[in-house]
C-alpha cells in the first residue's frame, strides 16, 4: 500500500483492467487517491475487481468495454466524466495476442487483424475519445502499456507489430497533444507473472536466468511505472518509452554467459 496521494480528485479510465497488469494499475492509482473506472471486455470480472477495491475503501466503478468498438469506448469515456466529474488519466492496457502458427505463411488474416485491432487500434480509439476531456482538465495524461515484443524478437508477429505501433502512436500523439496540455507516454514490460502464464511455471523458471535482475516481473512493478508517468511527478515527461524489463533488453545475458562473464 502506498502512502502517496498523487491522484486525489482525478478521474481515471483503465482498459483491460479486470486482471493482471490492468488490475494492478487500477489498484495502485486508487490507492493513491484516484477515482478509477475499471473497464474490460469481461464485464463481470471487471466488476469483481472494482468491488475488491471498494472493499478496501477505495473509489472504483466498473464498466464493460470492448476497445474494438468505437461506441463502447465512447460510452466508457462518457461514464468516467459523468461519474467522476473529469477524465484526467487514460491507461491503455487492453491487448490481444494470438499464438503464431509454425509457419509464417499459415498466419490467417483474421488473427493478424484481431491482434492489431485490439492492441493498437483499440488504444487509438481510446485516445481519440478521451483527448478532448484530457485537454479540458488541464492535467491530462495518457499511459499505454507496450511490450518488449515491440522492441526485439520474442515471437508473436501481429502482437509484436501492434506493440511496436504503440511506440509510434505515443510519439506522434505526444507531439500533437503537448500544446493542449496532455502528456502521452509508454511503459514497456518484459515477462510479467499474469494469468497468461498460468500453469506455465516451468516456462517462467526457464526465462528467469535471462533477466539480469534475477526474476520475472510482477504486475505491481508495471503499475508503479504507470503511476509515475501518469502523475505530476512526470510533469516534464512526454513522448517517452520507459522500459521496465529487469534489464532484459539492455544486457545480452546469453552472450555474457557464453563468454564466462558473471
Amino acid at each position: 500500500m502506498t502512502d502517496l496521494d498523487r491522484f486525489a480528485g482525478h478521474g481515471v479510465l483503465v482498459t483491460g483492467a479486470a486482471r493482471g497488469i490492468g488490475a494492478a494499475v487500477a489498484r495502485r492509482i486508487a490507492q493513491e487517491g484516484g477515482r478509477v473506472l475499471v473497464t474490460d471486455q469481461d464485464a463481470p470480472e471487471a466488476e469483481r475487481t472494482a468491488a475488491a477495491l471498494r472493499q478496501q475503501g477505495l473509489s472504483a466503478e466498473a464498466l464493460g468495454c470492448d476497445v474494438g468498438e468505437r461506441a463502447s469506448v465512447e460510452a466508457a469515456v462518457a461514464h468516467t466524466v459523468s461519474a467522476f466529474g473529469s477524465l484526467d488519466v487514460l491507461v491503455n492496457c487492453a491487448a490481444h495476442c494470438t499464438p503464431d502458427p509454425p509457419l509464417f505463411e499459415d498466419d490467417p488474416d483474421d488473427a493478424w487483424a484481431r491482434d492489431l485491432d485490439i492492441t493498437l487500434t483499440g488504444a487509438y480509439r481510446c485516445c481519440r475519445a478521451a483527448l478532448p476531456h484530457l485537454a479540458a482538465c488541464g492535467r491530462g495524461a495518457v499511459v499505454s502499456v507496450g511490450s518488449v515484443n515491440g522492441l526485439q524478437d520474442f515471437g508473436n508477429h501481429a502482437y509484436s507489430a501492434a506493440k511496436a505501433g504503440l511506440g509510434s502512436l505515443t510519439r506522434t500523439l505526444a507531439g500533437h497533444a503537448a500544446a493542449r496540455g496532455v502528456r502521452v507516454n509508454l511503459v514497456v514490460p518484459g515477462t510479467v507473472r499474469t494469468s497468461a502464464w498460468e500453469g506455465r511455471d516451468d516456462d517462467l523458471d526457464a526465462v528467469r536466468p535471462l533477466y539480469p535482475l534475477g526474476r520475472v516481473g510482477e504486475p505491481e512493478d508495471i503499475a508503479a511505472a504507470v503511476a509515475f508517468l501518469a502523475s505530476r511527478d512526470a510533469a516534464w515527461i512526454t513522448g517517452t518509452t520507459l522500459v521496465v524489463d529487469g534489464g532484459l533488453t539492455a544486457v545480452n545475458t546469453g552472450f555474457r554467459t557464453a563468454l564466462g562473464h558473471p
Side-chain angles (χ1 to χ4, degrees):
M1 173 74 74
T2 176
D3 58 2
L4 298 176
D5 201 24
R6 295 184 292 189
F7 298 102
H10 287 56
V12 180
L13 169 59
V14 185
T15 69
R19 57 183 66 83
I21 292 172
V25 168
R27 181 169 58 254
R28 176 65 183 252
I29 291 179
Q31 288 171 343
E32 295 193 29
R35 297 171 293 181
V36 180
L37 183 65
V38 177
T39 72
D40 200 279
Q41 191 173 24
D42 187 342
E45 191 63 25
E47 175 53 39
R48 280 190 284 272
T49 297
L53 295 179
R54 292 194 297 270
Q55 288 175 357
Q56 300 174 39
L58 305 175
S59 178
E61 295 189 14
L63 186 72
C65 177
D66 181 356
V67 300
E69 296 182 1
R70 181 172 185 169
S72 184
V73 167
E74 291 177 346
V77 168
H79 186 102
T80 306
V81 175
S82 175
F84 305 139
S86 64
L87 173 56
D88 303 87
V89 176
L90 166 67
V91 182
N92 293 306
C93 290
H96 191 273
C97 181
T98 303
D100 289 335
L103 294 177
F104 180 77
E105 57 266 35
D106 292 333
D107 204 10
D109 284 1
D110 57 350
W112 174 273
R114 178 67 172 166
D115 282 10
L116 265 68
D117 187 53
I118 299 302
T119 307
L120 176 57
T121 310
Y124 156 77
R125 291 187 186 99
C126 292
C127 291
R128 180 178 59 190
L131 188 56
H133 302 282
L134 295 169
C137 77
R139 57 187 181 191
V142 176
V143 183
S144 297
V145 176
S147 170
V148 292
N149 284 58
L151 304 179
Q152 295 182 9
D153 171 29
F154 294 98
N156 299 113
H157 304 294
Y159 174 80
S160 298
K163 290 296 191 180
L166 281 177
S168 180
L169 177 62
T170 295
R171 292 184 290 274
T172 58
L173 185 56
H176 170 82
R180 303 169 72 176
V182 179
R183 298 179 302 103
V184 186
N185 291 293
L186 180 71
V187 171
V188 171
T191 304
V192 178
R193 194 188 309 274
T194 67
S195 59
W197 293 91
E198 188 172 354
R200 300 173 61 189
D201 289 345
D202 289 346
D203 289 337
L204 291 176
D205 288 341
V207 301
R208 181 183 56 78
L210 301 177
Y211 283 86
L213 289 182
R215 65 176 178 87
V216 300
E218 301 295 338
E220 291 74 18
D221 294 316
I222 312 308
V226 170
F228 164 67
L229 287 175
S231 78
R232 296 304 295 173
D233 285 342
W236 208 46
I237 300 175
T238 196
T240 198
T241 294
L242 176 58
V243 180
V244 186
D245 70 348
L248 177 68
T249 56
V251 180
N252 191 326
T253 305
F255 186 84
R256 292 175 60 85
T257 300
L259 294 181
H261 296 309

